[in-house]
Amino acid sequence: MDKPMNRIKEVLEERGIKQTWLAEKLGKSFCIVNSYVCNRRQPSLEVLFQIAEILQVDPKELITNQVSK
């Protein structure tokens, strides 16, 4: 069975955004955000939507390689 994966790391790198900045915007610790970015832990849907809003991307972009049009 495949482990759930997200693309948060790729999106941050594409936009030149640091994990520390995202952690501050989310109000979460760097350790928690780093675990999301490294796919050791998956954010809840609520947090995933918050991340998408902060990064100004479609939430689908955080979970798939396909960009919605």
Side-chain angles (χ1 to χ4, degrees), residues 3 15 25 33 43-45 50 52 57-58 60 65-66:
K3 181 179 175 185
R15 296 172 176 268
K25 292 290 183 185
V33 171
S44 67
L45 281 176
Q50 287 177 324
V57 297
D58 187 308
K60 291 178 188 175
N65 287 326
Q66 297 176 349

Side-chain angles (χ1 to χ4, degrees), residues 29-44:
S29 72
F30 172 81
C31 290
I32 294 290
V33 171
N34 181 258
S35 67
Y36 297 156
V37 170
C38 295
N39 279 291
R40 288 189 306 270
R41 175 179 189 167
Q42 296 303 315
S44 67

Side-chain angles (χ1 to χ4, degrees), residues 2-68:
D2 288 335
K3 181 179 175 185
M5 301 295 274
N6 67 60
R7 295 190 62 249
I8 298 169
K9 181 176 187 173
E10 289 89 345
V11 174
L12 289 175
E13 287 174 354
E14 288 166 6
R15 296 172 176 268
I17 296 172
K18 303 276 185 199
Q19 293 179 41
T20 50
W21 179 86
L22 180 59
E24 185 179 308
K25 292 290 183 185
L26 280 172
K28 297 200 177 288
S29 72
F30 172 81
C31 290
I32 294 290
V33 171
N34 181 258
S35 67
Y36 297 156
V37 170
C38 295
N39 279 291
R40 288 189 306 270
R41 175 179 189 167
Q42 296 303 315
S44 67
L45 281 176
E46 180 182 352
V47 172
L48 187 74
F49 276 82
Q50 287 177 324
I51 293 169
E53 186 176 326
I54 290 166
L55 298 178
Q56 297 180 334
V57 297
D58 187 308
K60 291 178 188 175
E61 287 187 53
L62 298 176
I63 55 174
T64 181
N65 287 326
Q66 297 176 349
V67 178
S68 59

